[in-house]
Amino acid sequence: MARFYITTAIDYSNGDPHLGHAFEKIGADAIARYRRLAGDEVRFVIGMDENSQTILQPAAEAGLTPQAWVDRLAGVFADTWARLGISHDDFIRTTEPRHTRAVVEMVERIKQAGHIYRGTYEGYYCERCEAFKQEKDLVDGRCPEHPDREIAWTKEDNYFFKLSEFRDPLLKLLDDHPEFVQPTIRRNEIRNVLKEGLQDISMSRPHRIWGTPFPDDEEHAVYVWFDALINYLSAIGFPDDAYHEWWPADLHVIGKGITRFHCIMWPAMLMAADVELPRTVWAHGYINWEGRKLSKSAGAPVTLDSAVERYGPDPLRYFLLREIPWDGDGDFSWGRYDGIYNAELANDLGNLANRTLAMIHKYRDAVVPKGAGTPLDDRANAILDGYRSAMDSHLIHRGIAAAMELAGDANAYVEERAPWKQAKDESLAAELDTTLSALARALGRLAILLSPIMPVKMGELWRALGASDEPAGMAAYAALDLAGRQVDRQAVLFPKPE
Ligand SMILES: [Zn+2]
């Protein structure tokens, strides 16, 4: 059995989850669920980045200790992921002892190998990114990610990581393993950064009041990015040997704003510590509202709560993953959400399910009849190939499009076969069996293909087709046989809004 270790970026403990956080978790969850469906053994890890100095201010404003603050937020995030059906196997928090232990080990290994020295840093530091910025990266003298904030000139005594030594090995990595950074546009950006050359980076902050103490110098805190990246190792038990069970990671899912940390700093840290590199870093895009990054739009026109409440968690998962290409940016708008919900979920999919189940009920006493293979089955098998190649390439939006072709074909098949006419003529009984059994199989296959996207709704559909469990794995798809199953005319899957 193949193993698949997938992670998302861990979330900053300085504010509530928003739609951008949700998009990343939902996409990674769809990939994790797809891999399980394909038969892999999956480890899916998400978590919280709690060692940031930026939590101190909101914690103080809320009248909480830093630890009480991060505990509260970890609860809020965990509840949100449960509500959205995220199927993670672990939830790592960087304040946990298991994480601190891994950070200490990594710093020590890198130090032993001679890649750390002491020095003085002078330059711009964005408190919000928690990153030093070069002058050429600033826009109008400000951090491009945080244009509303002044950026401070900072001078401090630090430990440095010899990042500059890793420029050539990293360029070679991109040549030898183009799959290391995806999609391609992000790889090209990283290559350009590397070509300009790398500077050594500070890997500590002086005057620690919060964060992981620097080994052998507790006055300093480990630089928060250096600390946070190690969560991918600490979550699987590093430095105990057991971590080899899952390492190297197959896929780090992150947002396109943090590629430099994941595609330059992280592999350099691993090379320095002589730890294997992850296979792929996938950088997704942003959700925009009228062309602006949603999380930065003033007075958020759509909150995560309002988006979930509109039609429930599964339709939101479907809409985000279908509408925002997993390899780029996309727009959120209520009009578009309503349109997709009505056209694709309520009509194409929901209506197909409702009418098929109703006809099996009415014409065949609620039992799926036996029936030979049909052109609709041939189409379903061709669609599976397209779906798999899209999902194997992490192009979730294309996987959804492939699956929905099957819904379209099944709806055309209903019109073409007109089972309500076949039902009126006793001599067409075998034809009607063929029609209804083919439609039942199409629904079962849709439940399989779309279960990574809408796990709850597709579980309901699968059980309405007479099963007691969750949708079958990919292996059962081609020869799916539902004959003899007792269908349930359950509640409408995707009710039309009033
Ligand atoms: Zn910034």
Side-chain angles (χ1 to χ4, degrees):
M1 191 186 268
R3 291 185 158 225
F4 194 83
Y5 177 30
I6 174 172
T7 67
T8 65
I10 49 175
D11 295 314
Y12 244 180
S13 296
N14 56 6
D16 286 335
H18 55 64
L19 207 56
H21 294 116
F23 178 55
E24 177 168 304
K25 300 305 168 298
I26 289 169
D29 184 64
I31 294 170
R33 288 178 181 273
Y34 165 73
R35 299 293 349 162
R36 293 190 197 109
L37 207 60
D40 288 358
E41 198 180 340
V42 172
R43 187 95 191 146
F44 175 26
V45 175
I46 65 176
M48 301 301 293
D49 179 358
E50 302 182 327
N51 286 325
S52 162
Q53 307 286 324
T54 62
I55 66 141
L56 296 172
Q57 194 191 337
E61 282 166 8
L64 294 174
T65 64
Q67 190 64 50
W69 169 264
V70 298
D71 288 349
R72 188 190 71 79
L73 267 181
V76 171
F77 275 78
D79 289 349
T80 302
W81 306 144
R83 186 180 184 199
L84 288 171
I86 307 304
S87 64
H88 50 285
D89 301 292
D90 200 352
F91 188 76
I92 178 88
R93 298 176 53 192
T94 56
T95 49
E96 292 178 83
R98 61 171 171 158
H99 177 71
T100 309
R101 185 176 81 111
V103 172
V104 168
E105 175 71 17
M106 278 294 282
V107 172
E108 274 173 354
R109 284 193 193 186
I110 294 171
K111 194 158 79 180
Q112 290 296 320
H115 301 293
I116 294 177
Y117 62 94
R118 273 194 84 133
T120 303
Y121 185 87
E122 205 171 341
Y124 289 105
Y125 186 81
C126 174
E127 297 282 348
R128 299 289 293 188
C129 289
E130 298 203 59
F132 290 103
K133 302 273 168 175
Q134 296 183 34
E135 192 137 20
K136 67 178 168 55
D137 295 330
L138 304 182
V139 177
D140 299 331
R142 291 176 177 221
C143 168
E145 295 280 317
H146 302 102
D148 52 331
R149 314 253 315 185
E150 296 278 347
I151 190 158
W153 183 264
T154 314
K155 185 176 177 183
E156 49 183 49
D157 185 27
N158 278 329
Y159 288 92
F160 278 77
F161 172 50
K162 292 184 187 170
L163 183 65
S164 59
E165 289 180 341
F166 294 92
R167 175 184 176 266
D168 292 342
L170 288 168
L171 278 168
K172 185 171 184 329
L173 170 67
L174 295 188
D175 288 339
D176 293 351
H177 295 281
E179 77 285 1
F180 180 71
V181 186
Q182 289 186 43
T184 308
I185 179 174
R186 305 295 161 225
R187 180 164 65 248
N188 293 339
E189 287 167 3
I190 292 298
R191 193 187 297 280
N192 289 337
V193 172
L194 290 171
K195 279 186 177 156
E196 287 172 14
L198 292 178
Q199 297 182 341
D200 291 349
I201 54 162
S202 162
M203 57 176 290
S204 70
R205 301 299 312 279
H207 323 301
R208 184 181 80 87
I209 23 177
W210 180 250
T212 306
F214 202 84
D216 303 324
D217 190 348
E218 307 218 334
E219 293 291 296
H220 288 249
V222 175
Y223 171 47
V224 70
W225 268 105
F226 205 94
D227 179 272
L229 289 162
I230 296 169
N231 92 86
Y232 304 129
L233 286 170
S234 59
I236 48 168
F238 179 89
D240 295 343
D241 279 346
Y243 92 93
H244 290 293
E245 219 179 299
W246 292 102
W247 195 258
D250 294 278
L251 192 63
H252 289 321
V253 172
I254 60 163
K256 67 179 184 180
I258 54 175
T259 49
R260 290 182 191 200
F261 299 103
H262 282 82
C263 308
I264 295 177
M265 188 171 160
W266 179 228
M269 287 166 60
L270 292 166
M271 287 175 185
D274 197 20
V275 174
E276 270 186 279
L277 304 185
R279 297 201 172 90
T280 295
V281 177
W282 183 280
H284 63 77
Y286 291 149
I287 302 177
N288 294 325
W289 178 271
E290 292 167 355
R292 291 195 65 200
K293 188 183 172 188
L294 188 61
S295 58
K296 297 217 169 92
S297 303
V302 48
T303 62
L304 181 51
D305 273 343
S306 63
V308 174
E309 276 156 21
R310 190 79 150 202
Y311 301 111
D314 271 9
L316 178 64
R317 291 172 61 111
Y318 179 90
F319 174 66
L320 291 179
L321 295 178
R322 181 207 179 286
E323 187 70 359
I324 323 288
W326 192 236
D327 56 351
D329 297 338
D331 254 333
F332 187 103
S333 82
W334 289 119
R336 189 76 184 143
Y337 188 13
D338 294 343
I340 297 263
Y341 179 86
N342 280 302
E344 299 185 11
L345 295 181
N347 287 341
D348 293 352
L349 187 56
N351 207 17
L352 174 71
N354 299 338
R355 69 208 290 212
T356 300
L357 294 170
M359 288 189 292
I360 294 172
H361 231 268
K362 186 170 174 192
Y363 302 139
R364 289 296 178 262
D365 219 8
V367 176
V368 179
K370 273 194 173 55
T374 67
L376 185 59
D377 294 275
D378 298 337
R379 279 291 295 149
N381 285 320
I383 281 166
L384 178 65
D385 291 340
Y387 171 86
R388 292 205 65 153
S389 87
M391 295 299 280
D392 286 341
S393 318
H394 314 308
L395 296 172
I396 307 169
H397 53 294
R398 290 201 198 151
I400 294 175
M404 290 307 284
E405 275 181 49
L406 180 56
D409 290 342
N411 279 312
Y413 183 79
V414 176
E415 295 308 320
E416 178 199 317
R417 302 279 295 181
W420 47 91
K421 287 185 191 158
Q422 293 172 332
K424 284 187 186 142
D425 184 343
E426 207 32 60
S427 73
L428 296 177
E431 288 294 306
L432 181 59
D433 283 350
T434 300
T435 307
L436 296 177
S437 74
L439 289 172
R441 285 192 297 277
L443 281 182
R445 286 169 176 146
L446 280 163
I448 294 172
L449 297 183
L450 291 172
S451 63
I453 314 299
M454 296 186 286
V456 174
K457 289 291 180 184
M458 293 303 99
E460 285 174 19
L461 174 58
W462 183 251
R463 288 184 291 279
L465 289 163
S468 59
D469 50 4
E470 294 300 316
M474 209 77 67
Y477 181 96
L480 190 68
D481 183 6
L482 302 176
R485 294 237 202 134
Q486 177 99 28
V487 305
D488 179 13
R489 259 186 90 179
Q490 39 92 223
V492 173
L493 271 183
F494 301 103
K496 287 241 182 188
E498 294 295 304

